[in-house]
Amino acid sequence: MWAQTATLPMNVILAPSQKALTPHLEIRGGRRLEGEIRVSGAKNSALVLMAACLLSSDDLKLRNMPALSDIQGMGEILESLGVTMNRGEGFVELNASGLNQSSPPYELVNGLRASFFCIGPLLARTGVARVPLPGGCQIGARPVVEHVKGLKALGAQVTIEHGVVSAVVPGRGHRLTGGKIHLDCPSVGATETLMMAAALADGETTIENAAQEPEVVDLAGLIIAMGGKVRGAGTPTITIVGMERLHGADYMVIPDRIEAGTLLLAGAITRSKLRITPLIPEHLGAVLSKLEEAGCTLESDGIGMTISADRVRAVDLRTQPFPGFPTDLQAPFMSLLATAEGTSVITEAIFENRLQHVAELQRMGAAIRTQGNTAFIEGVPFLSGAPVTGSDLRASAAMVLAGLAAEGTTLVQGLKHLDRGYDRLEEKLRSVGASIERHDVG
Ligand code: EPU
């Protein structure tokens, strides 16, 4: 006879619905949203601006900082190099006068690709940098060939051995020399790394085929605020005149265009009216055009933007470097199109493995098939709630959006990704009427 016990025998296999969940969001979908949501500072600007503190021994104060695990991670990396940091509500103060290391540890770098940004300012300020290769991630291989090529063009000797990129500037002054760099692809990270390196180099540097993303323009703004000279940021050719030293600054991070786009999509997918603020329309041009093409009404009031959606039509899109449609909004936009009238075609042309959300959307009833990096999305009248997992940051956001629109309950796992890049997303969505709760344990 079996003894009656309160615990399950070791060999009992739980049905999927009974499985203990990792931390997750529970979303009861189908509610209309109404009101206003505030956008936080841009993660991808904030990360690089933090690394720029290494360019000076004076204080750098950054305002409008988002509360994100990636920002925490970058802070830890900078502290490991001897930077002092003081974080408060919405701001961070950094001081790199005690910079005493040129090599952040692998354990910290491994979790955060943006840590590779340190190589440019470290090399420029100290003449030596050893940064572990952060490696690939779920969305693609993430090479750093262009960063390395550019640093060599500025006079650095660079070797890659045992997974570590080691760079030194030979010569007595150990100072980089300005030069001409042509990027084979307009990499955002390479453009930013090389701008920081060039900011303290001897002479003038030109970066051709540079990335034109707003985060690049934000970095140029900071370098200028620190006493540097940068021209052409936001165009394909950037010129930087190197200075002997840069001073401190008090600087405000731009609003996060990807968060703003995600929140507009929350309005669209729930067929609601929402005001998203602050939002800089020029940062989201291609996305706003696609939303209008899909039948959404957009009204800009100078500071924010109101979206109203009723019927949503299919649209086609292809991701491209800025000012094209951003890869970071491809997954969230696919959630919307899964509920649109007609068949949409999305091509992911930036990262080789960024369609992993398709399988999860299919589990929620979406009718999507893929061929290579193209997805054909036949809109369905409704999605149905299910337990799903976000495989990367933006895929997690896509799951949240799908959950807001779905019938029934959606459980979104993979919150470590979401928390990397969305500042208190569930709080913000709850404030406009969404039913969304975080459960930290299963
Ligand atoms: N690439 C190369 N060689 C290089 C560098 C890049 O071929 O040396 C390729 C990449 O493989 C990719 C393309 O160029 O196919 C774009 O990569 P890029 O270097 O521009 O991306 P990144 O700087 O690594 C930043 C953002 C990403 C965002 C991309 C594209 C940060 C910290 N990250 O990455 O953000 O997707 O630009 O806009 O700024 C996210 O926030 O979810 C995210 C992944």
Side-chain angles (χ1 to χ4, degrees):
M1 264 255 320
W2 290 99
Q4 294 282 330
T5 59
T7 49
L8 290 167
M10 291 296 284
N11 58 349
V12 166
I13 297 169
L14 295 176
S17 59
Q18 294 170 287
K19 269 191 186 159
L21 292 163
T22 55
H24 60 277
L25 293 177
E26 179 178 350
I27 305 169
R28 290 176 207 281
R31 296 198 177 193
R32 288 267 157 96
L33 308 180
E34 194 181 350
E36 178 175 312
I37 307 186
R38 281 199 70 77
V39 175
S40 300
K43 166 184 82 93
N44 288 345
S45 255
L47 288 169
V48 68
L49 300 185
M50 284 176 82
C53 81
L54 297 168
L55 289 170
S56 168
S57 52
D58 295 346
D59 290 338
L60 173 64
K61 181 165 187 169
L62 297 173
R63 299 176 194 263
N64 197 30
M65 290 290 285
L68 301 170
S69 60
D70 267 11
I71 298 295
Q72 173 78 23
M74 193 62 166
E76 284 167 18
I77 288 165
L78 292 171
E79 282 179 327
S80 78
L81 299 172
V83 171
T84 56
M85 182 173 69
N86 173 31
R87 276 190 84 176
E89 183 61 33
F91 71 87
V92 62
E93 287 163 338
L94 300 152
N95 184 294
S97 57
L99 181 62
N100 54 20
Q101 279 290 327
S102 54
S103 180
Y106 176 70
E107 312 82 76
L108 297 179
V109 168
N110 184 32
L112 181 60
R113 279 200 48 81
S115 55
F116 198 73
F117 286 139
C118 293
I119 198 165
L122 269 179
L123 192 60
R125 175 115 173 267
T126 67
V128 50
R130 281 170 50 80
V131 182
L133 277 171
C137 68
Q138 284 87 352
I139 63 175
R142 320 288 302 262
V144 292
V145 182
E146 297 300 318
H147 312 53
V148 169
K149 216 177 65 183
L151 292 174
K152 285 182 176 167
L154 300 183
Q157 290 175 349
V158 189
T159 52
I160 304 178
E161 270 175 356
H162 310 296
V164 178
V165 182
S166 301
V168 287
V169 188
R172 276 212 304 160
H174 301 291
R175 189 172 176 203
L176 291 164
T177 313
K180 197 166 173 177
I181 300 165
H182 182 93
L183 298 179
D184 284 342
C185 65
S187 158
V188 178
T191 303
E192 293 168 337
T193 294
L194 298 171
M195 283 167 74
M196 289 188 279
L200 289 178
D202 185 10
E204 189 174 293
T205 297
T206 311
I207 307 174
E208 288 175 355
N209 197 25
Q212 300 173 57
E213 268 71 0
E215 294 75 20
V216 168
V217 180
D218 211 20
L219 174 61
L222 176 63
I223 295 174
I224 292 166
M226 293 171 82
K229 290 187 181 159
V230 186
R231 221 178 30 240
T235 76
T237 305
I238 302 177
T239 306
I240 302 119
V241 179
M243 311 301 287
E244 280 203 25
R245 67 177 296 275
L246 293 176
H247 54 67
D250 185 334
Y251 195 76
M252 181 99 152
V253 179
I254 53 169
D256 195 310
R257 64 192 167 107
I258 305 302
E259 185 197 6
T262 305
L263 296 172
L264 287 175
L265 286 163
I269 201 168
T270 55
R271 311 298 193 261
S272 304
K273 184 169 179 178
L274 271 188
R275 179 168 182 260
I276 310 300
T277 181
L279 183 151
I280 300 172
E282 296 75 32
H283 289 182
L284 275 167
V287 178
L288 302 181
S289 301
K290 287 294 165 189
L291 283 170
E292 284 182 327
E293 197 184 323
C296 302
T297 307
L298 297 171
E299 269 173 81
S300 172
D301 54 34
I303 303 171
M305 177 152 299
T306 302
I307 183 164
S308 323
D310 182 13
R311 297 179 69 167
V312 175
R313 292 188 295 271
V315 294
D316 296 343
L317 61 92
R318 180 186 180 84
T319 61
Q320 282 172 334
F322 193 84
F325 190 96
T327 173
D328 293 343
L329 282 172
Q330 177 262 113
F333 215 103
M334 191 180 295
S335 294
L336 172 66
L337 295 179
T339 69
E341 291 171 24
T343 303
S344 308
V345 183
I346 292 185
T347 301
E348 171 56 50
I350 304 291
F351 290 109
E352 63 270 26
N353 197 21
R354 216 178 196 183
L355 289 182
Q356 290 182 57
H357 45 283
V358 168
E360 297 298 288
L361 287 173
Q362 284 166 337
R363 299 186 65 243
M364 296 180 72
I368 308 175
R369 70 188 169 81
T370 57
Q371 198 173 11
N373 263 343
T374 298
F376 300 86
I377 306 125
E378 206 179 303
V380 291
F382 61 88
L383 295 171
S384 63
V388 287
T389 303
S391 51
D392 72 88
L393 169 56
R394 309 304 172 185
S396 305
M399 294 304 119
V400 172
L401 293 180
L404 292 176
E407 287 188 344
T409 303
T410 297
L411 304 178
V412 181
Q413 299 184 85
L415 301 191
K416 71 173 195 299
H417 298 302
L418 198 69
D419 295 340
R420 283 185 40 221
Y422 287 92
D423 184 359
R424 289 162 291 185
L425 182 62
E426 72 268 19
E427 252 176 64
K428 292 184 182 186
L429 290 171
R430 214 166 28 237
S431 75
V432 291
S435 170
I436 175 167
E437 296 296 331
R438 178 179 287 250
H439 300 285
D440 281 327
V441 279

